[in-house]
Amino acid sequence: MTKAMTGAKMVVQALIDQGVDTVFGYPGGAVLPIYDEIFQQNSIKHVLVRHEQGAVHAAEGYARSTGKPGVALVTSGPGATNAVTGLTDALMDSIPIVVLTGQVPTFMIGSDAFQECDTVGITRPCTKHNWLVKETDKLAPTLHEAFHIATSGRPGPVVIDIPKDVQFATGTYTEARQVETHYNPQVKGDMEMITELAAAMEKAKRPLFYTGGGVINSGPAASQLLRELIAATGFPITSTLMGLGCYPASGDNWLGMLGMHGLYEANMAMHDCDLMINIGARFDDRITGRLDAFSPGSTKAHIDIDASSINKVIKVDIPILGDVAHVLEDLLNVWKSRGRKTDKENVQKWWHQINDWKKVDCLAFKQETKVIKPQYALARLEELTKKHDRYITTEVGQHQMWAAQYLGFEDPNRWMTSGGLGTMGYGFPASIGVQMGHPDALVINVAGEASWLMNMQELGTAMQYNLPVKQFILNNERLGMVRQWQELLHGERYSSSWSESLPDFVKLAEAFGAKGIICDNPDDLDDAIMEMLHHDGPVLFDCLVEKHENCFPMIPSGKPHNEMILGENADTANAIQAGGAVMV
Amino acid sequence: MSPLKIKKGATSHSAYDLRPTFSDKEERHTLAVLVENEPGVLSRVIGLFAGRGYNIDSLTVAEVDHLGHRSRITIVTSGTPQIIVQIKAQLGRIVDVHKVNDLTVEGPSVERELALFKVTGTGNDRIEAIRLADIFRASVVDSTLESFVFEITGTPEKIDAFAELMRPLGLEEIARTGVAALSRGAVA
């Protein structure tokens, strides 16, 4: 069946056919025909953001919390360039989003027209794929293929640049099932390698699962299979920042997050294990620390959908190319059919060792004074919200690491944070996207005051759509992580790392019609958090915390996992050697 | 989300050896990359090399299958074995890339390059130039009383050698196409 319609109508039709219910966007001259079509329908809800970066982060938040692709719609020129940070963020964290950009009419392309930019040129390195559609007949197939590419294989952002005359012109609409594609990434892992891994698991004395965002991206089935595998083997598990929630934080085998600000027991286990099973993680530099001292004695298995992630920085012994859920299913079957064997005695010894490391209690802190410790604020937030099926987003910095350390995640898709790119300003718009996908859920953005200000304009969006997102701001009046590094690495010269001229956050909230809460006393904190939770609407929570608290544990740059700095008694004066200072 | 139809002949299997042995020695590899003939695809490939800091020693590109809408990019690159494996994997994840072949490791292959040489001179130099051109099977494609343009095909090494010999004889300018390469034997 073919239908004639305008390009603008095709865009809306294709979105409906792809099951899109929400679009985050901002209109402008080059997308007016599409906005005109959006105006004339009720299937898709359009959320008007206040800045295009917010639209893309909101689409990311929506995608990460729902497992469905997020969609953003922006105009040409500045609309497209403002989307670039969000696109790069989604590329680094493998988030499926489809971004539609308007473009000047085809006959004006290349003439430096008003609000013209080379959108496909600018976004080529920060998308998984992009298209400039010059013929209306090609628009629908391109839109359908865009969703296919964004969501299959290693997910990622795609951009479709649509000139205004293509939106106005009439063409033939193609349905998704009529579209052919050659993009068909391998999902089943090699059985020989999977068998090799099963055999290695049987012999391992000190095994460890190291999971990442790939488990979340593979879908809920992957997390389910992972839990089954861990319950059956009894092996310990740690996860990257991106993988939190794939195994429940309350689970018996959970060691907590690993990496630069990971838990002592998790990093020590990584260093000392004899079989590392990397599932959907990518040996990021925040994880590995010094490469030549990274887990020196282990056999390394790596399950990843992206061949370029395998052997990129760490040479692995058992590479398995495939989708996490598919591979885990096969792995479980193979391991079970071989008799469900593990070296129970030695794994038991391994657990004794791990339990000794746990006794270090690396996240211990003392809330002694009348100043709120950021760790205490998050511990209370955890205690008072853990019964909710809550969704947490974060900005980037110390608060992000503390959130990862002190909040527990029981299920996948509940934790949205900018991992790869480290985008300050991500969390607030992302929380808006999450709330759009889960209207009745508790959505909290754990923020620092500096990050939050980077996209504070989205408070207008939250108000307009009555999205009760809770902005939990740990306000230390500092760029906390920058300050921490300056303290440790740059002779305590705090160059531009404090937030001067901060707004009164309560008044700021009220200026938008939102609720503002300020809390500076640990004795009042519980009541204040409850007040935030009970308010039906956006809340700006200004939590004044200890200004010079450092985030520990920490693996200093250029150090291996077994040389962590711990809190409290740590001697940080000479922790980082000169060579480490060049690392970021 | 509606699923799309997977085209016939689309492969879902990786062409890459995922278990390479790494050494620090730099190697020269010739890669044949079959791509969709779309605007931007060359920019994507070059951008990958520039963005990730890989070397391009030579690059040629042209459409090779008009009906199938395919172009072939031949890239000569150099790097450690780990980098070469990474380059192939990175090329493979570009959506418009259909196939990546490493002609250096996948059996014997032939490499050819075409070059044009402008050589000026009179007297003995001019005679010597044409004599050497004959030895190298270069043909004269343009001639004036004080200049020749030679056309030569061969391996890059042969063209390098010819350039060295022509340099003292009045070599003015060289235009080289870059390497085109195919695997030997009946199998594509």
Side-chain angles (χ1 to χ4, degrees), chain B:
Chain B
M1 284 282 309
S2 321
L4 309 191
K5 285 192 290 184
I6 303 300
K7 268 188 191 169
K8 268 189 190 162
T11 170
S12 64
H13 283 278
S14 169
Y16 318 115
D17 178 9
L18 292 174
R19 198 146 46 171
T21 49
F22 291 157
S23 83
D24 293 334
K25 222 179 124 210
E26 288 235 339
E27 296 173 355
R28 177 183 178 276
H29 283 241
T30 305
L31 308 178
V33 189
L34 200 62
V35 300
E36 195 78 8
N37 188 11
E38 287 284 337
V41 64
L42 182 62
S43 166
R44 234 174 267 280
V45 169
I46 294 172
L48 168 71
F49 277 73
R52 294 187 183 264
Y54 306 142
N55 301 314
I56 298 180
D57 297 341
S58 157
L59 183 139
T60 61
V61 55
E63 189 179 66
V64 290
D65 177 359
H66 186 66
L67 288 178
H69 208 53
R70 300 285 163 90
S71 292
R72 184 179 172 107
I73 303 176
T74 308
I75 305 171
V76 181
T77 183
S78 50
T80 63
Q82 183 179 11
I83 293 292
I84 299 288
V85 168
Q86 186 61 205
I87 289 172
K88 288 186 273 183
Q90 291 289 355
L91 284 169
R93 70 202 277 250
I94 295 177
V95 171
D96 276 339
V97 167
H98 290 282
K99 214 165 91 177
V100 182
N101 285 108
D102 186 341
L103 297 175
T104 306
V105 296
E106 295 169 16
S109 61
V110 281
E111 281 186 11
R112 288 294 180 270
E113 191 178 355
L114 184 144
L116 298 173
F117 283 72
K118 182 171 286 180
V119 181
T120 59
T122 50
N124 276 344
D125 281 358
R126 184 170 161 86
I127 293 161
E128 185 63 16
I130 200 149
R131 211 174 60 80
L132 284 167
D134 191 42
I135 293 168
F136 275 77
R137 296 176 203 278
S139 52
V140 177
V141 290
D142 178 70
S143 167
T144 66
L145 289 176
E146 63 271 1
S147 73
F148 287 120
V149 174
F150 296 117
E151 176 198 308
I152 180 170
T153 55
T155 62
E157 293 75 22
K158 177 180 167 186
I159 291 168
D160 288 344
F162 189 61
E164 279 312 303
L165 290 170
M166 285 297 125
R167 212 169 299 278
L169 301 177
L171 177 60
E172 290 290 335
E173 215 175 355
I174 307 177
R176 296 173 74 150
T177 59
V179 171
L182 278 180
S183 62
R184 288 183 187 269
V187 184

Side-chain angles (χ1 to χ4, degrees), chain A residues 243-256:
Chain A
L244 296 178
C246 65
Y247 183 80
S250 61
D252 293 337
N253 299 36
W254 178 239
L255 302 190

Side-chain angles (χ1 to χ4, degrees), chain A residues 335-352:
Chain A
W335 178 76
K336 282 178 182 171
S337 68
R338 290 167 59 102
R340 296 167 167 265
K341 292 189 287 268
T342 57
D343 183 348
K344 287 204 176 55
E345 193 182 325
N346 278 305
V347 172
Q348 197 57 42
K349 277 188 206 158
W350 177 225
W351 269 112
H352 286 314

